[in-house]
Structure formats: C-alpha cells, structure tokens
C-alpha cells in the first residue's frame, strides 16, 4: 500500500497561511470511483481513501509510515518567495 506525505498548500480563498503547518499522510486510491446511476453520487469500495492523518512534522509522518510497513512518497512543499512591497510604490511615478 502506498501513501503520500505532503504539506498542504493554502486555500485560494485564504490570504494567510493558517492551517498549512501540518503534514498530511494520505493513502493512494486502490479502486476507481464509480457514479451511482440512480442518485448521481460518487462511490467507491476503497475504505483507505477516506483516511487522512495529520502530523506536526515530516519526520513523524515518515516514522508512522515506516512503523506500519507502508511504502511512502514524500512531496516537498513549494516555498514562496515573499514580495516586499511598499504602500508608496502604488503611487510612484513610473514614467
């Protein structure tokens, strides 16, 4: 069984970085999802697809995967470069 370990990106609706400090361990899907013809709901027989474990650090998530004998793939987070802006730059003459 393969798991992905990653640090989630911020939501597009957020301006801050809240709730992006944890690392997530998520199981890879083992079965395809199917569409219920009567209700239109999406279903699957894969019970591990519903499990998402959160850890405080990458090392804790890797240790959990190794302890339980899971093959894991660590996806490194993209580091944002801060753009230093000044309020006065909005009114500066750029002729």
């Amino acid at each position: 069984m393969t798991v992905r370990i990653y640090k989630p990106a911020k939501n597009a609706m957020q301006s801050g970085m809240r709730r992006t400090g944890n690392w997530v361990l998520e199981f890879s899907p083992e079965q395809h999802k199917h569409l219920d013809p009567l209700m239109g709901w999406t279903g699957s027989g894969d019970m591990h697809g519903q499990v998402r474990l959160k850890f405080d650090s990458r090392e804790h998530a890797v240790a959990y995967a190794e302890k339980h004998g899971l093959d894991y793939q660590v996806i490194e987070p993209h580091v944002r470069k801060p753009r230093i802006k000044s309020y006065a730059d909005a009114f500066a003459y750029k002729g």
Side-chain angles (χ1 to χ4, degrees):
M1 190 171 312
T2 306
V3 295
R4 295 183 314 152
I5 299 172
Y6 64 95
K7 194 171 186 179
K10 75 176 191 72
N11 187 338
M13 300 301 291
Q14 304 177 279
S15 60
M17 297 299 290
R18 186 177 173 148
R19 296 186 186 173
T20 60
N22 291 339
W23 285 80
V24 176
L25 184 140
E26 184 175 75
F27 289 88
S28 298
E30 294 180 353
Q31 294 181 356
H32 294 290
K33 294 185 178 185
H34 60 275
L35 188 63
D36 182 68
L38 179 63
M39 298 298 290
W41 295 340
T42 304
S44 175
D46 184 19
M47 297 302 291
H48 291 293
Q50 300 175 14
V51 178
R52 291 182 63 181
L53 302 175
K54 295 181 181 177
F55 295 93
D56 292 331
S57 70
R58 174 186 171 196
E59 290 77 23
H60 288 128
V62 169
Y64 178 86
E66 289 177 350
K67 178 181 175 184
H68 292 283
L70 302 171
D71 295 329
Y72 61 90
Q73 174 188 11
V74 178
I75 301 169
E76 295 296 330
H78 176 71
V79 180
R80 295 175 49 187
K81 290 189 279 185
R83 293 184 195 153
I84 299 174
K85 298 180 183 179
S86 172
Y87 180 72
D89 288 342
F91 304 104
Y93 176 73
K94 297 181 172 88

